Amino acid sequence: MRVGYVQFAPEFGEVRRNLDRVGELLAHGRADLWVLPELFSTGYQFRSVGELSELAEPVPEGPTTTRLVALAREGGFHLAAGIAEKADGRLYNSAVLVGPHGLVARYRKVHLFYEERNLFAPGDLPFSIAQVGGAKVGLLVCYDHLFPEAARTLALLGADLIAHPANLVMPGLGQLTMRVRALENRVFTVTANRIGTEARTGEALRFTGLSQVVAPNGDVLLQAPQDREEARAVEIDPARARDKRLTRLNDVLADRRPEFYHLA
Ligand code: ACM
């Protein structure tokens, strides 16, 4: 199975242009599962709830999910991507997983970052996994990376791979924690981060690139540069993520002692 990321610089509000750019980048690579950044079709820095509401879309009827499904059908692959979702009058920072036959899974970002808290409703769907070819895939969005409980929940549900659309702005942080999330759960992770800068609210945000694919032992199998667009993929064996042994006598999921954990 080949998995990869699409790292690029979305232009704020230019949905058609951003979808076209993803299509161009995908034409140069080959994968079974591609991961795109958080909010890849709209850009990130909304000035108001009103502006977000104008750009947010119903899923799967909206133009972004419709185009993703068309790309998946043409290319015979799956795509995981961040999207501004409008549902029942609420706005979510969501991720969709689509394949050639349509929407496969939807996730609404549980841990909202910084000004997102003033724009989006917090996610209200349970973590879940979906089958993509030979792999079970779970979704997280950006800042979810800092909550080990989120990745652990996906691992306990049986995820082989965590697809992680991101708009990371704190240099090196999410790239580091996703290596730890991979190794502590013995799963693959694919983080697709964006590049470029947005300064629409008087505060400049610089997105840090360095998209990556990480193996269940924490090794970085692929990493993008900080400042260049690219779509790249690597061959993985999802079965590697089903071996949770660290040593002959240790299995990182079976060794858990949940009776000692205070999670509420
Ligand atoms: C983030 O959650 N966009 C850092």
Side-chain angles (χ1 to χ4, degrees):
M1 178 177 189
R2 286 180 68 80
V3 300
Y5 53 73
V6 179
Q7 171 171 299
F8 79 115
E11 272 180 36
F12 186 88
E14 300 297 326
V15 174
R16 172 89 60 85
R17 178 263 174 209
N18 294 331
L19 288 164
D20 287 347
R21 183 68 189 129
V22 165
E24 287 164 12
L25 287 162
L26 287 176
H28 300 295
R30 187 173 61 77
D32 303 295
L33 172 65
W34 288 110
V35 184
L36 310 184
E38 179 182 13
L39 297 168
F40 83 96
S41 61
T42 55
Y44 183 77
Q45 210 179 29
F46 300 94
R47 289 197 176 118
S48 65
V49 172
E51 189 178 64
L52 168 59
S53 185
E54 289 284 303
L55 285 163
E57 302 177 18
V59 172
E61 303 84 3
T64 294
T65 313
T66 301
R67 182 73 171 273
L68 289 175
V69 172
L71 285 168
R73 190 173 302 131
E74 282 160 28
F77 46 65
H78 283 67
L79 284 156
I83 182 171
E85 182 190 5
K86 184 186 280 184
D88 301 325
R90 308 192 92 188
L91 303 165
Y92 298 97
N93 186 343
S94 296
V96 291
L97 175 65
V98 306
H101 303 295
L103 183 70
V104 174
R106 168 200 330 244
Y107 166 69
R108 295 172 173 159
K109 187 176 186 177
V110 164
H111 304 99
L112 295 176
F113 181 71
Y114 200 44
E115 298 286 355
E116 292 169 29
R117 306 168 74 96
N118 298 321
L119 295 162
F120 294 98
D124 55 1
L125 299 174
F127 293 105
S128 65
I129 56 171
Q131 194 74 35
V132 175
K136 291 191 164 58
V137 173
L139 297 166
L140 295 181
V141 176
C142 206
Y143 179 52
D144 288 326
H145 71 82
L146 209 59
F147 299 84
E149 298 90 342
R152 174 54 53 90
T153 300
L154 292 173
L156 291 171
L157 287 169
D160 301 315
L161 182 146
I162 296 174
H164 180 226
N167 275 188
L168 294 162
V169 290
M170 303 182 78
L173 183 67
Q175 291 85 354
L176 172 64
T177 54
M178 287 307 285
R179 286 187 69 187
V180 178
R181 298 293 90 85
L183 72 88
E184 70 194 357
N185 292 295
R186 318 301 287 182
V187 295
F188 292 92
T189 65
V190 182
T191 296
N193 194 18
R194 61 162 288 180
I195 58 171
T197 303
E198 286 185 13
R200 307 188 66 256
T201 63
E203 180 175 26
L205 292 178
R206 197 179 71 74
F207 301 95
T208 58
L210 299 171
S211 298
Q212 64 187 17
V213 179
V214 183
N217 64 356
D219 282 353
V220 178
L221 301 176
L222 268 187
Q223 188 154 54
Q226 279 180 27
D227 53 1
R228 262 209 332 270
E229 297 190 328
E230 71 172 25
R232 268 173 91 203
V234 63
E235 186 78 25
I236 64 158
D237 178 4
R240 255 185 88 186
R242 291 168 212 150
D243 179 1
K244 303 299 183 186
R245 281 172 305 180
L246 186 66
T247 70
R248 189 166 59 81
L249 298 176
N250 292 98
D251 173 304
V252 298
L253 291 193
D255 287 350
R256 297 170 66 248
R257 302 286 308 281
E259 66 273 30
F260 286 95
Y261 307 154
H262 295 275
L263 290 175

